[in-house]
Amino acid sequence: MNPLIFLLILLTMFLGTMLVMMSSHWFLVWTGFEMNMLAIIPLLTKTHNPRTTEAATKYFLTQATASMLLILATTINLLYTGNWSIMKLNNPMASAMMTMALTMKLGLSPFHFWVPEVTQGIPLSSGLILLTWQKLAPLSILYMISPLMDSYLLMIMALLSIAVGGWGGLNQTQMRKIMAYSSIGHMGWMIAILAYNPTMMLLNLYMYILMTITIFSLLMVNMTTTMTSLSYSWNKLPLTSMIILIMMLSMGGLPPLTGFMPKWLIIQEMMKNNNIIMSTIMTLLALLNLYFYTRITYVTSLTTLPTMNNTKMIWQFKFSKQMPYMAPIIIIMTL
């Protein structure tokens, strides 16, 4: 891709997200979503093959449907209230349609089917943008209108997303699909706490983005897309592979790693609000995520390691080569 065109696409995507996050007018929000959607499609298809074309088509159709629902909900609310303000979402039908539109853009269950398929069909760099930057705009709108939305509907979607994120990743061997199901599960945790403490959702989002960027960056360094290739890379880049596995266990919420903190705080906040049954179910479903991350660690560690005579020499040569990639894990582990 031409560098100038690539820069213009990134700038349009950035401006679209910023327009959504800073607007208080529904039409400007819809315009920002459209700018964001149309800008990312060339990034999804920057490697020209049928799989990326299929993934971009699925993404476009899903996001276009969500945008249609969003502008329809906005129109219904306009007819009911007579204004375009975001904080005037008083019509129950408009509120429910807006919830469906934003959760479809996020990839929450039951509108999650596009997330694994699109993530699997695009390059790792595009998958990183899809699972991090593209979550900011819908979550910012949900953060602003959370007091006006049906909390029961959000809770049902959150619980379904956590369950799907756990069950869907159990039998996966593709790293991009595993990260996609992990994203669905994490979005469920964020939506679950949205009705009680929206600020804690921002903490969870910050930790999720930081860990996802680290894992995708290391996968791109390793050029790893499957569990098999990750296990083979253990002999070539042992330090990088070890950091990837530690980060995955952290995303699963294994204490005392960093990913355990937001889950613990969310459960604690829900217990304070007497939502004990929901928090218990969420805790049990989180074990599914931790299981398939632990399975990756176990399978990867079963590969044939270097002999004891060569281990010291390999680490001496590889340690200096991998030092630049240690910065993200050092930052996260010291938070």
Side-chain angles (χ1 to χ4, degrees), residues 14-200:
F14 175 78
L15 290 177
T17 303
M18 290 298 106
L19 183 62
V20 172
M21 296 175 71
M22 294 187 296
S23 297
S24 59
H25 193 284
W26 277 121
F27 186 75
L28 291 179
V29 168
W30 178 79
T31 304
F33 275 124
E34 292 301 298
M35 288 174 59
N36 189 283
M37 177 189 70
L38 295 175
I40 196 176
I41 288 177
L43 297 180
L44 301 182
T45 57
K46 62 182 181 180
T47 56
H48 301 287
N49 56 64
R51 295 188 66 185
T52 57
T53 305
E54 179 186 355
T57 304
K58 290 178 179 177
Y59 180 79
F60 172 77
L61 292 176
T62 307
Q63 298 298 310
T65 304
S67 296
M68 178 196 69
L69 286 175
L70 189 145
I71 198 66
L72 180 59
T74 303
T75 305
I76 293 173
N77 188 65
L78 175 64
L79 295 174
Y80 183 77
T81 63
N83 62 67
W84 290 87
S85 175
I86 287 180
M87 303 310 295
K88 297 292 184 180
L89 191 65
N90 300 324
N91 191 322
M93 180 181 294
S95 177
M97 294 182 68
M98 189 66 65
T99 304
M100 287 191 294
L102 294 174
T103 52
M104 189 179 296
K105 284 186 173 293
L106 275 177
L108 283 177
S109 181
F111 309 110
H112 67 278
F113 297 100
W114 65 271
V115 182
E117 299 299 324
V118 173
T119 309
Q120 177 60 27
I122 59 180
L124 284 170
S125 57
S126 302
L128 172 61
I129 297 174
L130 181 69
L131 297 182
T132 53
W133 182 262
Q134 293 300 98
K135 308 295 183 183
L136 297 180
L139 283 175
S140 66
I141 299 298
L142 286 172
Y143 178 83
M144 287 189 282
I145 66 174
S146 57
L148 309 173
M149 305 188 77
D150 187 358
S151 59
Y152 293 104
L153 180 60
L154 288 178
M155 281 295 174
I156 292 172
M157 286 186 170
L159 195 60
L160 284 174
S161 299
I162 297 171
V164 168
W167 284 109
L170 287 179
N171 293 324
Q172 300 298 329
T173 59
Q174 300 288 329
M175 298 303 298
R176 284 170 291 187
K177 276 196 174 182
I178 288 173
M179 294 304 298
Y181 281 110
S182 175
S183 174
I184 295 171
H186 278 84
M187 291 300 116
W189 281 87
M190 294 178 206
I191 298 302
I193 197 60
L194 188 62
Y196 299 107
N197 192 343
T199 307
M200 197 168 291

Side-chain angles (χ1 to χ4, degrees), residues 270-289:
M270 295 182 73
M271 297 282 281
K272 287 179 181 177
N273 288 276
N274 296 321
N275 201 339
I276 299 175
I277 297 177
M278 178 78 174
S279 57
T280 304
I281 296 173
M282 288 169 58
T283 307
L284 294 175
L285 291 174
L287 295 176
L288 295 173
N289 291 81

